[in-house]
Amino acid sequence: MTTLLWLQTGSCGGDTMSILCADSPSVEELVDQYGIEFLWQPSLSAEPKKHLDTVLDAILEDRLALDILCVEGSIMTGPNGSGMYDPYRGRSKMSLIRQLAEKAGYLVAMGTCAAYGGVHAAPPNPTDCLGLQFDKQAPGGLLPVDWRSRRGLPVVNISGCPAHPNAMTKTLAMLAAGLPLELDHLNRPKAFFNTMVHQGCTRTEYHEYDVEDELFGGKGCMFFNLGCKGPVTMAICNSELWNGRGSKTRAGVPCFGCTSPDFPSDHDLFRTEKIGPIPVNLPLGVERANYMAYKSLAHEAAPERVLNKTMDP
Amino acid sequence: MSRRTIQIEMNRVEGDLDFQLEMEDNIVVDARCIGTLYRGFEQIMLGRKPTDALVITPRICGICGTAQLNAAVLALEHAGRIAVPPNAVRIRNLCLMAETVQSDLRQSFLFFTADFCHPKYLSRPFYDKALAAFQPFKGSVHRGALENSRHIVEIVALFGGQWPHSSYMLPGGVTTPANSRHIIDSLSILNKLTRWFEQTVIGTDLDVWLDLQSAEQFFAWLTEKPAHDESATGLLTQISREIGLQYLGFGTPHMLSYGAYDDPRYAGTFTQHKQRLFKAGFLNGETGIVEAFDQAKITEHVRYAWFQPYPGGLHPFQGQTVPDYQPHSDRYTWCKAPRYQDKVVQTGPLADALIDGEPLIRSLYQAEGGNAWLRQFARLRRTAKLLRTMRDTLHELSADLDEPHMLPPATKDIPDGEGFGLVTAARGGLGHWLQIADGAISRYQVVTPTAWNASPKDSAGRHGHWESSLIGMRVDDPDDPVEIGHIIRSHDPCLVCTVHILDSGKRLTLWP
């Protein structure tokens, strides 16, 4: 039996909606097959909210073990550091999460808001919000850099806006089953964050041969002009499809880099920032000079079917 | 006579919702609807590129992001006078319908019916049936709703890449065409859901169900076969009526609908008030007449909200959203009070059905009024209609596969000016009003369905719809008022959308 408590802070509920869409494993499977007991989940618990008080008291008084604490949403610290933009029963959720974190076997940030601050932290960040252990890219958030949960891990960041349904359920299944969880430099589980959005995108051939779309609604690559961050973003969107069916880039929507700490970018989200004809942000790890050389060669080598954009993504 | 204030926090709503109720003996004499979260979206929008609204505003709400996206793209198209091709309208409609079906199934069978498993009903004859159907993770209907609400949004993933939160509706159309693979996949998803809906939710064929035209026909149908009254809808109806929900939760008699789903036949030219498949209108509760809807008659009041005060109400194009947090005053909310023709209105599936003239809902309304059971029933009735409309939409798309899905706008940028986008989300009328100056957003006002329903008092001291639907109610156990849960959940609250409310932690009592 693994106890799990899920709290929403400054959130839209999208990560809850997303996890309800998970199918491998599903939320029901977490309960049936992995022995996860939802002590509280805002959309699933049948008990009245008073029950949550009972559960919280029991955890804080060490009468109930909390194996996994999931937080969905930004941590609101405003106004003036009080945290009262997001209160619970007359106190701030910020202070409640801080207390609960000390009791949790693992603390999991469900989505970019809880991990790094997310959309609510976009300028001017009206609520002074941040993530659980990061403030955008800066290490240290509500909890300090060296904080570790009872089971010895920093906050596990399953970033994404929303987080990928199966990345959430698989992580919970791994924790419940006692499987090791290796994290990357942003404390994201490597199992889901060691893959580019670009990998598996059905438009990659257009990218390879530098066949660029300049308008939306086409078949080509959106990296060069239309703001796509697929080649610089870590996520499984194109290797484990969303809702079992698709991904943004497959549907002709640019990747907005929503798993990254700096999401959403301040820059026009549907335009690629460029220096001359070359994007400012090149595919991860690529040298600018090499890229310029490669790009012109690639375009020369492009077959007609790609140049004429006859291939369906 | 004893007077006390009770505070109720609610779960199984989208977001955080509290109520403060003033009780005299066991009767609610005053109510204050309090959500508890401020996120500041209007401020985040200022100064950004207009099209950024297509990425930022879906994040207002995890359950109705498609509706937010649709409202945002309509507002941008209005500002730029941009037309879209018929197939783009069809694809947008299809995705919005899929999201609405998802939301209605989850609201009905994850959020609403779970209350029937409350220990208060332990001794009732229906209790075992309620557990068998509606108990979280154990009940057959609960599990079926989890499974099937998951599948229907696969249609959004086919056209938009993912659900929740994608940005596939752009000025001029949608990002991906309907090809034959998408059509067949969508039909498979739809057929599978329709089968479950017929077997489990209504216990009959969709056609038979949609043919029911009157209250008499419906109640006769209910008792005609075991499959009918044992269906999820049958069970929800019986239990609701056994505990008296047909006598509760009326609220304001005035209703508003923006109309749902643009008619693709009128897609070729830009029009300000769209022709829609389900009609827009204002049902005047005093006269019973459905009047033409005009967005210019919408205002928002802030008398009881923590925003810099202004007298009376302002239209969203003049809207001011300057935070002014005053916890120790008679103001109690971050939520403005929207009014139409200066009247308190409700919005949602019941209002939509009555204004569109749906015969069965209209007949039940004439028989018993707009009660909590009917509000919930209207939502499930809508699901059946949408399953049918989605199928028709897919057939229309498949007849026109070569038509464009995107007409790129003449200019790259949306010109300076203003525009609004109005859609019907799962919970009712959703509007975005935006103004653009020097190429950037200079004002962005969102009025959500829950803002209408959860509104606080206005400048004239008139209670919002939910508040008024609770006043006068009898509560058996003020420490665990499950009745309040039924009434409020029948409105399908989505507080993440709306609420800019702070809980001061102090209980305010509005009389000496």
Side-chain angles (χ1 to χ4, degrees):
Chain A
M1 181 60 74
T2 303
T3 57
L4 186 152
L5 180 78
W6 184 298
L7 290 179
Q8 287 172 335
T9 49
S11 95
C12 72
D15 300 294
T16 287
M17 287 299 131
S18 180
I19 203 171
L20 291 181
C21 290
D23 60 357
S24 184
S26 67
V27 174
E28 305 92 287
E29 275 180 273
L30 291 179
V31 174
D32 300 340
Q33 309 299 324
Y34 289 91
I36 288 182
E37 183 195 351
F38 281 92
L39 300 174
W40 185 261
Q41 210 293 337
S43 289
L44 293 170
S45 294
E47 299 88 351
K49 203 130 178 201
K50 279 200 168 29
H51 176 74
L52 174 59
D53 292 344
T54 315
V55 168
L56 292 176
D57 289 346
I59 291 168
L60 293 174
E61 291 162 16
D62 294 321
R63 288 180 284 110
L64 175 62
L66 174 59
D67 296 317
I68 304 174
L69 172 62
C70 298
V71 176
E72 170 184 10
S74 317
I75 306 298
M76 308 312 202
T77 70
N80 308 320
S82 68
M84 291 305 280
Y85 279 138
D86 184 22
Y88 178 70
R89 297 232 151 170
R91 61 179 301 191
S92 68
K93 288 219 191 110
M94 172 179 79
S95 67
L96 176 64
I97 301 282
R98 217 184 250 127
Q99 274 188 297
L100 286 168
E102 296 311 312
K103 305 291 181 186
Y106 300 104
L107 175 48
V108 185
M110 292 297 191
T112 299
C113 286
Y116 309 117
V119 74
H120 308 108
N125 193 346
T127 54
D128 297 330
C129 67
L130 35 66
L132 284 167
Q133 210 173 359
F134 277 87
D135 183 355
K136 293 279 185 184
Q137 300 95 320
L142 175 73
L143 302 167
V145 179
D146 53 9
W147 180 91
R148 294 295 178 269
S149 69
R150 288 195 166 190
R151 304 290 299 274
L153 284 185
V155 175
V156 176
N157 290 326
I158 308 179
S159 58
C161 187
H164 191 293
N166 292 346
M168 288 189 276
T169 54
K170 279 192 172 77
T171 301
L172 294 175
M174 287 156 79
L175 291 174
L179 295 171
L181 201 66
E182 202 185 338
L183 305 179
D184 73 359
H185 65 294
L186 294 165
N187 293 342
R188 305 177 298 193
K190 272 194 178 170
F192 314 101
F193 292 92
N194 201 22
T195 302
M196 292 276 180
V197 170
H198 184 63
Q199 290 173 264
C201 174
T202 48
R203 295 165 185 258
T204 44
E205 210 182 10
Y206 292 105
H207 183 94
E208 282 167 29
Y209 291 112
D210 185 29
V211 175
E212 313 179 1
D213 264 1
E214 295 190 13
L215 292 171
F216 284 104
K219 299 177 180 181
C221 177
M222 299 176 287
F223 168 72
F224 304 99
N225 299 304
L226 300 178
C228 184
K229 296 182 168 63
V232 297
T233 302
M234 294 288 196
I236 52 168
C237 301
N238 275 308
S239 53
E240 182 153 355
L241 295 182
W242 278 83
N243 315 94
R245 298 282 181 175
S247 72
K248 282 203 191 79
T249 62
R250 290 181 181 210
V253 181
C255 164
F256 301 113
C258 74
T259 55
S260 306
D262 59 353
F263 172 80
S265 142
D266 299 354
H267 177 265
D268 181 348
L269 293 165
F270 292 92
R271 287 272 149 243
T272 303
E273 277 186 283
K274 292 206 235 188
I275 303 170
I278 306 292
V280 170
N281 296 309
L282 297 178
L284 211 57
V286 175
E287 294 286 337
R288 184 158 294 270
N290 296 346
Y291 190 73
M292 308 263 297
Y294 148 77
K295 203 166 132 78
S296 51
L297 281 175
H299 199 86
E300 290 305 309
E304 289 290 314
R305 62 185 173 76
V306 176
L307 276 177
N308 298 334
K309 298 186 190 169
T310 60
M311 311 304 294
D312 285 331
Chain B
M1 190 170 66
S2 70
R3 175 176 286 166
R4 61 184 288 203
T5 306
I6 58 170
Q7 174 127 348
I8 300 164
E9 286 96 1
M10 293 193 65
N11 57 308
R12 278 179 289 116
V13 299
E14 276 286 286
D16 292 338
L17 170 62
D18 293 5
F19 273 89
Q20 278 180 359
L21 305 178
E22 297 295 338
M23 311 285 297
E24 279 183 8
D25 297 328
N26 282 26
I27 306 287
V28 179
V29 294
D30 195 9
R32 285 177 294 282
C33 174
I34 302 177
T36 51
L37 174 65
Y38 175 67
R39 294 190 292 154
F41 265 91
E42 289 95 344
Q43 288 154 283
I44 290 167
M45 296 301 302
L46 296 182
R48 295 194 76 111
K49 286 287 280 195
T51 45
D52 283 1
L54 303 166
V55 181
I56 305 287
T57 64
R59 270 86 183 168
I60 289 174
C61 176
I63 204 165
C64 70
T66 305
Q68 302 281 354
L69 174 66
N70 201 351
V73 82
L74 289 176
L76 293 166
E77 283 164 354
H78 182 197
R81 303 296 185 273
I82 298 162
V84 294
N87 272 5
V89 173
R90 293 187 180 112
I91 290 168
R92 290 176 182 185
N93 289 350
L94 183 72
C95 292
L96 185 53
M97 286 185 246
E99 176 177 89
T100 299
V101 169
Q102 165 274 146
S103 181
D104 287 349
L105 291 175
R106 285 181 175 163
Q107 191 279 336
S108 298
F109 301 123
L110 305 187
F111 300 175
F112 183 80
T113 51
D115 279 331
F116 298 149
C117 305
H118 193 283
K120 173 185 167 155
Y121 299 127
L122 203 58
S123 58
R124 298 275 192 139
F126 64 70
Y127 195 68
D128 288 345
K129 278 188 194 168
L131 288 186
F134 301 135
Q135 197 180 10
F137 292 119
K138 296 190 177 73
S140 56
V141 179
H142 188 273
R143 288 185 75 100
L146 273 172
E147 172 82 24
N148 285 282
S149 59
R150 181 175 300 151
H151 288 314
I152 194 68
V153 291
E154 290 175 27
I155 291 176
V156 183
L158 287 169
F159 291 97
Q162 65 178 72
W163 188 93
H165 295 342
S166 184
S167 306
Y168 51 99
M169 303 178 192
L170 300 182
V174 292
T175 55
T176 204
N179 60 32
S180 45
R181 285 164 66 190
H182 289 153
I183 300 282
I184 303 292
D185 279 342
S186 299
L187 283 168
S188 293
I189 293 162
L190 191 61
N191 290 338
K192 196 170 162 187
L193 179 69
T194 305
R195 269 200 307 281
W196 174 76
F197 190 82
E198 288 176 328
Q199 285 167 1
T200 303
V201 181
I202 53 178
T204 188
D205 288 353
L206 213 50
D207 292 335
V208 173
W209 173 246
L210 286 170
D211 278 345
L212 298 172
Q213 302 278 307
S214 69
E216 295 73 26
Q217 283 178 8
F218 169 70
F219 288 115
W221 171 89
L222 203 57
T223 53
E224 188 187 349
K225 286 185 190 162
H228 298 173
D229 68 354
E230 286 167 13
S231 69
T233 300
L235 202 53
L236 183 149
T237 298
Q238 288 171 68
I239 297 174
S240 296
R241 298 180 71 85
E242 186 163 329
I243 61 181
L245 297 188
Q246 71 276 40
Y247 306 122
L248 294 173
F250 296 89
T252 177
H254 303 298
M255 304 204 186
L256 186 66
S257 176
Y258 296 163
Y261 314 113
D262 290 356
D263 188 333
R265 290 172 304 177
Y266 298 90
T269 53
F270 173 80
T271 52
Q272 182 166 308
H273 275 290
K274 310 266 179 194
Q275 290 287 333
R276 295 208 149 149
L277 303 181
F278 298 91
K279 288 195 286 288
F282 168 65
L283 172 58
N284 186 318
E286 281 146 25
T287 62
I289 292 169
V290 177
E291 303 169 12
F293 163 71
D294 178 3
Q295 65 86 34
K297 296 177 178 171
I298 295 172
T299 55
E300 289 189 287
H301 296 241
V302 293
R303 168 62 187 85
Y304 285 90
W306 284 312
F307 293 108
Q308 224 163 62
Y310 52 77
L314 290 175
H315 183 271
F317 276 145
Q318 283 81 50
Q320 296 170 15
T321 312
V322 185
D324 178 29
Y325 177 40
Q326 301 281 353
H328 305 297
S329 67
D330 65 354
R331 298 195 262 160
Y332 57 98
T333 170
W334 283 109
C335 182
K336 297 176 181 179
R339 297 291 180 258
Y340 183 80
Q341 282 184 6
D342 214 32
K343 292 183 172 72
V344 180
V345 306
Q346 61 171 303
T347 180
L350 174 61
D352 294 337
L354 291 172
I355 287 163
D356 187 52
E358 209 281 333
L360 175 58
I361 301 299
R362 187 170 272 192
S363 170
L364 288 161
Y365 174 77
Q366 282 162 348
E368 297 179 327
N371 56 70
W373 166 73
L374 184 61
R375 192 172 291 115
Q376 189 63 42
F377 179 80
R379 190 170 290 113
L380 280 172
R381 179 75 177 167
R382 171 170 71 185
T383 306
K385 273 201 135 49
L386 291 186
L387 293 176
R388 178 54 33 84
T389 313
M390 286 172 80
R391 192 194 61 187
D392 296 346
T393 304
L394 283 163
H395 287 312
E396 283 176 29
L397 276 169
S398 59
D400 254 341
L401 287 181
D402 296 333
E403 291 297 311
H405 59 285
M406 171 69 89
L407 299 172
T411 55
K412 222 174 221 176
D413 291 318
I414 306 286
D416 285 9
E418 63 182 28
F420 60 81
L422 306 174
V423 300
T424 291
R427 287 155 188 75
L430 165 69
H432 286 199
W433 285 262
L434 92 153
Q435 284 160 331
I436 304 163
D438 303 326
I441 291 170
S442 57
R443 189 194 306 258
Y444 209 103
Q445 296 283 311
V446 176
V447 183
T448 61
T450 301
W452 288 100
N453 294 331
S455 89
K457 291 193 286 188
D458 56 26
S459 310
R462 291 169 306 182
H463 281 284
H465 168 54
W466 289 353
E467 291 178 346
S468 62
S469 72
L470 295 179
I471 291 169
M473 254 184 85
R474 168 172 293 281
V475 174
D476 288 344
D477 176 7
D479 289 321
D480 190 4
V482 65
E483 303 88 338
I484 307 288
H486 296 313
I487 304 296
I488 297 305
R489 287 201 185 88
S490 81
H491 296 274
D492 192 1
C494 183
L495 274 293
V496 296
C497 272
T498 297
V499 170
H500 306 284
I501 300 188
L502 284 182
D503 174 1
S504 62
K506 294 180 73 75
R507 296 186 177 186
L508 308 170
T509 304
L510 296 184
W511 43 75

